Structures are given as structure tokens and as C-alpha cells.
Amino acid sequence: MIRVNPHYSKLQASYLFSAIAKRMAEFQASHPDSDLIKLGIGDVTHALPAACTEAMHKAVDEMGCDATFRGYGPEQGYDFLREAIALNDFAARGIAVQADEVFVSDGAKCDTANIQELFAQDARIAVPDPVYPVYVDTNVMAGRTGEVQDERYDGLVYLDSTEDNHYVPTPPAQPVDLIYLCFPNNPTGATATHAQLKTWVDYAHEHQALILFDAAYEAFVRDDSLPRSIYEIEGADEVAIEFRSFSKTAGFTGTRCAYTVVPKACRAYDAEGNPQELHALWNRRHTTKFNGVSYPVQRAAEAVFSAAGQAQITTVNDGYLGNAALIREKISALGYALVGGENSPYIWIKTGIDSWDFFDRLLNDAAVVTTPGAGFGSCGQGYIRISAFNDRSKVEEAMQRIAAVLGNR
Ligand code: PLP
């Protein structure tokens, strides 16, 4: 008898976005003429940079001609893209990442989901709360947790990110082996300083632990004193894997391209305590289970690093950050405490009431969709996330409507 993976039954239904979609549908059915403004889901709204579409067109033409056609590519990514990444995202910032330590993929979601395969079943895992749900659910699927009790899975160590620690957790009292961190953070928009990341790198060295650092939003860091990469911290190459994506950086959410850095110095240990190169393990996994990103998409990603590409993504991302600044200003003026939105496209607002009640109020009275913080973990209760990914005019309109509703609370 073929049996299903029993751990899937522990997963909580993907309640958050389906619940939001249901409430939106109900609102639209009862207000068919209303112009709903969506500042909920974190998807970009602006087109790909012209430098990228031009490169993609050219690559498509190459694929249509026998002389330049390419079949299966290297699973790890073409050298032209791996080298461009190592040069522009790291060497140019004084960080020593080699091109062959970069693994190109179709998403930071897939990579942050799949990386746990490399680690022992009994690895002790720490996840932030609130959290990007992929880190948790993939470990649940892999059988590394018990059931949910009081909104938390048995067997996981939760790193509370609250007002008290300025939404940047410190290492836990109990030892853990695998630590998921994300800065600039989704959902809070909080950023971590060098000193804060150093605490984690020191912890990882001391406990022979590994940090999985999700830097999907690094392109929004404008404060030069903040780290964009965990490898800015000395010794991090031995204890951290970093995930990056072109999704938010350059509007690739529908085009799909990302990458993961696994330094050759990075180690995990076998049962006898002997160090093992994670680079070799991830290479084995990637080449066995992944076919590589398509050639035209990799050419488009390479074009992100051209002078034109850089100028174009800066314009678009500055626009999103301008929206974020406006949201910060308007919501703060209404007397709400918030974090994020300065070096991040997300703003995390303390509602003072239940997340879903606040969400409903903005939906029903202002026709603005946000994301209830409770959907990201128990520490998100009493918060909402607003995303700055939208057109300026829509954000302005949304802020006017919210001020009209919340101004007289
Ligand atoms: N990591 C975080 C923290 C995210 O918020 C997202 C997308 O929203 C991703 C990863 C996924 O990135 P990608 O589109 O490259 O799969």
C-alpha cells in the first residue's frame, strides 16, 4: 500500500493568503463598484527593466538559430552570470565570493525550501517569529517537527522578533544547529546591523551551527552603514549560506531567477563530527534535481548588472522606497508605531488591536488590502504589513483613504 508522507498532515492550511482572498472576494461582491487598492501581497508591479528585456530578446533569437542555439546548460548557471554576480554583488563591495560558489536557480523560495535536505533529520532548527512561512513548512514536510500547539510547531525554536528587541532576535539560550535569518526582513521590514549579525556569526562558530541568510530584499538597503550580505561579517563564509533573488531586485517575480552562495569554506559535520563541505553537497543536490535556469532568463539577469540595468533598477526601486517613505509618514502621523520601509519595501505597523480586525477595517472602510501580521506567526498578532510595491498614485490614494478612516479612531 502506497502511503502518503505523514508529516504533510501536520501542515496548517495556507490560511493567510486564502483567507485574505476570501475576504477580498466577499468585499468585491458586495461593493462591485469599489476600486480596491492592494498593498497586501509582496509582488512587484513595474515592468522588467528595458536592459533585461533587450538581452532576453537577443538570447531568444540566438536560441532560434542552429549556430547559436544552446541545449542543456550547466545546472549551476552559466559562467557569464555567475561571474557577473561574483563581481558586481560581492567583489565590488569588497566581499570575496568566487563565481563557482554561486548557484543560479529559479527562486530563493525553492532554494530556501530545498536547502534543508542537506541536514540531519534531528537538526535543531531556529526560525524567526514572525517568519517567511517557507522556512517552517519545508521542515515540517521533512518531518523535523511535531504537531502544532498554540500556533507553534513542537520541536522548532522560535526567535521572537518584537518591539523589545527592535525586531532583530538575539541567539537563543538553548543550542540550535540551523538558524534561518532574513534581513531586510519579510514581513517586518527590519534591518540588522553588522554588530547584530556578528552576534549570530559568533554564535554559529561557537556551536558549530549554520546560518541560512535570506537576503532577498538587499537591493532596498540604502543606508551604507547596514550590511547587504552576511559575508560582510568576518568568518561568516565558514558558517553561513546566503540566498538572493532577482525577483524584487529587478522585477523577476514572473521571469524567475535567483541564486544561492555556498562558500567552499562552509561546513556541516557528519555523525563522527568530521567537517563536510556544504558546497560539494549542494552541488550534488543541484545537479541531480535541477536543470538550470533558461538561457534567455540568465542573459536577462546578467543585464541587471549593465550600466543601463543598474540605472533602471535603481529608478524602479527608489520609486518603491518613495512609496514606503510616504506610507511611513502618513501612518506615523496617525499615531501608529511602525518599523521598516526605510531600507525595505515592507512596513510593519502596530495596530493596537487584533490583526484581522484591523485588516477588516481597512478593507471594508477604506477598500485597501493589507496583510494581517498574525498570519506570519504569533508575534505578528497585533500588527499588519503594508507593502510598498504599487504605483505611486495608488499608494497616495490608499493613504488618503486610510487617513480618513483611522484619523477619527
Ligand atoms: N525570501 C523571502 C523572504 C521572500 O519574501 C520571498 C518572496 O516573497 C522569497 C524569498 C522568494 O523569492 P523568489 O521569488 O526568488 O522565489
Side-chain angles (χ1 to χ4, degrees), residues 25-45:
E26 283 166 5
F27 176 82
Q28 279 173 315
S30 55
H31 303 79
D33 299 327
S34 157
D35 169 26
L36 201 58
I37 301 178
K38 295 176 190 162
L39 301 178
I41 198 159
D43 196 359
V44 294
T45 54

Side-chain angles (χ1 to χ4, degrees), residues 267-289:
R267 302 270 184 274
Y269 300 85
D270 67 14
E272 284 74 47
N274 303 310
Q276 306 288 319
E277 254 193 40
L278 286 173
H279 183 274
L281 294 189
W282 186 243
N283 190 53
R284 188 74 172 86
R285 193 259 167 221
H286 208 62
T287 50
T288 303
K289 295 196 176 183

Side-chain angles (χ1 to χ4, degrees), residues 123-127 139 144 155-158 176-180:
R124 295 165 297 187
I125 295 168
V127 291
N139 279 293
R144 289 202 187 83
L156 291 184
V157 173
Y158 286 85
V176 291
D177 306 310
L178 192 61
I179 303 144
Y180 289 82

Side-chain angles (χ1 to χ4, degrees), residues 42 106-110 112 132 135 182 184 186 214 216-217 244-248 252-253 256-258 346 385:
D106 60 352
K109 177 179 181 177
C110 322
T112 54
Y132 176 57
Y135 315 151
C182 172
N186 178 16
D214 187 342
Y217 295 94
R244 297 245 189 139
S245 175
F246 293 94
S247 283
K248 313 296 161 83
F252 274 57
T253 52
R256 310 305 316 148
C257 197
Y346 298 125
R385 186 191 76 176

Side-chain angles (χ1 to χ4, degrees), residues 69 79 83 87 109 145 209 219 281 311-312 336 400:
F69 168 79
D79 285 346
E83 281 161 14
L87 182 68
K109 177 179 181 177
T145 73
L281 294 189
Q312 289 158 6
Y336 289 90
Q400 278 170 18

